[in-house]
Amino acid sequence: MFMSDISTIMRRMRLYADRSLADRGIGFPEQLVLMHLSAEGTSNQESIASKFNIDKGAVAKTIAKLEEKGLVIRQVNPENKREKQVSLAPSAHEVLEVMAHALRDLETTMFQGLTKEEIAVTCASLARIATNLTEDQKE
C-alpha cells in the first residue's frame, strides 16, 4: 500500500501543479525549474538535471520553453564558455507568486485533519526516506 499511496500523492500533486498554471502554459517540469532557480539563484543546466535526477536534454528543452516564455535568462558562463548559466527573468516572479499560492492551497488540502505534530513527523519521515534512497543510488 505504501508505494501505491506515494504514487497517488505524486500523481495528484503533479496534476494540481499542472492545472494551477495551465492558463499560462506552464507545466510541472517548468515549475520544478522555476522553483529550483528561485531557491538557488543562478544555476547551470547540469546541476538542475542532477537535482531532479533527469536527463540533461530534457532540462535543456524545459529551459528553452521557459526562455521562450520570457521567464528565464540563459547566458554563457564567462568562466566556462561551454556552460550555460540560467537565472530567473523579472517576469518569473509573478508566476512564482501564483505557484506559492497554489502550493499553500495544496498543502491545506493535503494535510487536512492532521495535527502539526503529525505533519512534522510525516515530513521528517519522508525526508529520511528520500535521503536513504538518494544515498543508496550513490553506491
Side-chain angles (χ1 to χ4, degrees):
M1 278 315 269
F2 177 77
M3 291 304 291
S4 176
D5 290 341
I6 293 293
S7 178
T8 297
I9 292 166
M10 287 303 302
R11 279 194 319 274
R12 295 293 180 172
M13 288 178 73
R14 184 176 180 143
L15 181 61
Y16 189 88
D18 281 339
R19 287 181 179 164
S20 70
L21 289 170
D23 62 326
R24 297 172 188 251
I26 302 170
F28 186 69
E30 291 93 349
Q31 291 179 45
L32 287 177
V33 171
L34 291 172
M35 285 187 287
H36 176 77
L37 293 174
S38 177
E40 300 296 324
T42 301
S43 188
N44 63 34
Q45 294 175 188
E46 186 173 327
S47 67
I48 295 169
S50 176
K51 167 77 175 175
F52 297 109
N53 197 27
I54 54 177
D55 179 75
K56 290 180 208 174
V59 170
K61 288 179 186 176
T62 300
I63 290 171
K65 288 179 187 178
L66 289 168
E67 193 173 28
E68 287 174 17
K69 294 172 184 162
L71 298 173
V72 299
I73 299 164
R74 189 169 21 179
Q75 297 174 320
V76 174
N77 181 350
E79 297 174 16
N80 179 356
K81 303 289 186 205
R82 296 179 301 165
E83 180 182 85
K84 299 272 180 130
Q85 295 282 53
V86 184
S87 58
L88 292 174
S91 60
H93 297 287
E94 179 188 342
V95 172
L96 288 167
E97 287 180 30
V98 172
M99 288 170 54
H101 180 73
L103 180 59
R104 283 190 300 274
D105 287 349
L106 175 62
E107 286 179 347
T108 298
T109 300
M110 187 167 51
F111 294 127
Q112 186 176 349
L114 297 175
T115 66
K116 289 182 181 182
E117 293 79 18
E118 289 171 323
I119 294 168
V121 168
T122 300
C123 291
S125 297
L126 289 173
R128 182 63 202 172
I129 291 168
T131 298
N132 290 345
L133 291 172
T134 302
E135 289 173 356
D136 182 57
Q137 294 295 316
K138 292 178 183 177
E139 296 175 4

